[in-house]
Amino acid sequence: MLQTWVVAPTCLPYVLRRCATCASPRSRASGKFRVNAHHKLLDAWLLVLCASCGRTAKLTVLERAHVRSIPAALLDRLHANAPSLVAEVLQDPVVRRRNRVALDWAGAWRLDTGADPAPPQADVIDVTVRFTARIPVRPVRLIAEGRGLPRAEVERLIEEGSLVSAVRLTGRIAEDFTFTLKR
């Protein structure tokens, strides 16, 4: 039996960045960009708000970029504060590394199994897990949630060889993978 599960975001993740005012570790994206011109050079920032006190901080998106090197569509999306661009910028590893921030996906994603769990009489169940965004999740947690099992039971199935995959199931993963559950 073949199933496809989808991991999709439900909202934007929190940005892990310490607030300079209240020292709160979490901020949320405001959904607004600020673009500043210096003759033919542009700077662009994504504005984030502290989750506790609401203080505004900036995440650098573009820094001293020549106007002609920026695609017109990107510039239009920056000026329009496009919500889809906010999600793209937050997931861009270059932007996260430049600003020394990480994302907190807790409570910001859901697992869609598409149907009820496979009937117990199925001997072998092949599941493909697809990610619509780069959301780091533990495969053990996904399998436990998708099959309605406790995590300890999933770990036991891995140890006895009833649950196998080409990827390591014990760490975090943010890419599509498959697994097979044998009864």
Side-chain angles (χ1 to χ4, degrees):
M1 175 175 233
L2 182 62
Q3 293 182 348
T4 301
W5 295 355
V6 179
V7 178
T10 56
C11 60
L12 291 174
Y14 278 102
V15 176
L16 297 178
R17 175 190 179 125
R18 189 154 308 280
C19 177
T21 303
C22 69
S24 171
R26 294 168 32 137
S27 297
R28 58 183 168 78
S30 69
K32 305 255 189 238
F33 289 95
R34 176 159 184 237
V35 180
N36 194 14
H38 303 278
H39 302 287
K40 294 181 181 180
L41 303 176
L42 289 181
D43 290 327
W45 300 278
L46 172 63
L47 302 179
V48 294
L49 305 172
C50 174
S52 294
C53 69
R55 182 178 190 267
T56 303
K58 299 184 289 188
L59 298 182
T60 302
V61 178
L62 297 172
E63 189 170 30
R64 302 288 183 194
H66 198 279
V67 175
R68 291 187 181 173
S69 69
I70 303 170
L74 174 62
L75 200 51
D76 290 341
R77 292 173 72 198
L78 284 168
H79 286 298
N81 294 320
S84 62
L85 183 60
V86 174
E88 289 175 29
V89 166
L90 284 177
Q91 292 187 18
D92 185 358
V94 174
V95 172
R96 289 197 322 254
R97 190 173 30 253
R98 177 188 299 148
N99 293 285
R100 294 186 300 268
V101 297
L103 300 179
D104 180 10
W105 283 97
W109 60 274
R110 66 177 166 74
L111 175 65
D112 181 17
T113 57
D116 296 327
Q121 62 267 23
D123 291 334
V124 177
I125 302 167
D126 290 320
V127 178
T128 301
V129 180
R130 290 188 325 106
F131 288 81
T132 59
R134 293 191 52 80
I135 303 171
V137 182
R138 295 185 188 280
V140 171
R141 178 178 179 193
L142 284 178
I143 296 167
E145 186 176 320
R147 298 292 302 153
L149 300 170
R151 285 190 209 168
E153 176 69 16
V154 173
E155 290 171 356
R156 186 187 63 76
L157 290 170
I158 292 170
E159 286 177 17
E160 70 182 28
S162 297
L163 181 60
V164 294
S165 178
V167 299
R168 198 178 98 216
L169 296 174
T170 55
R172 287 186 183 264
I173 192 167
E175 298 171 346
D176 297 353
F177 70 97
T178 61
F179 67 89
T180 302
L181 179 60
K182 304 171 193 169
R183 292 262 172 194

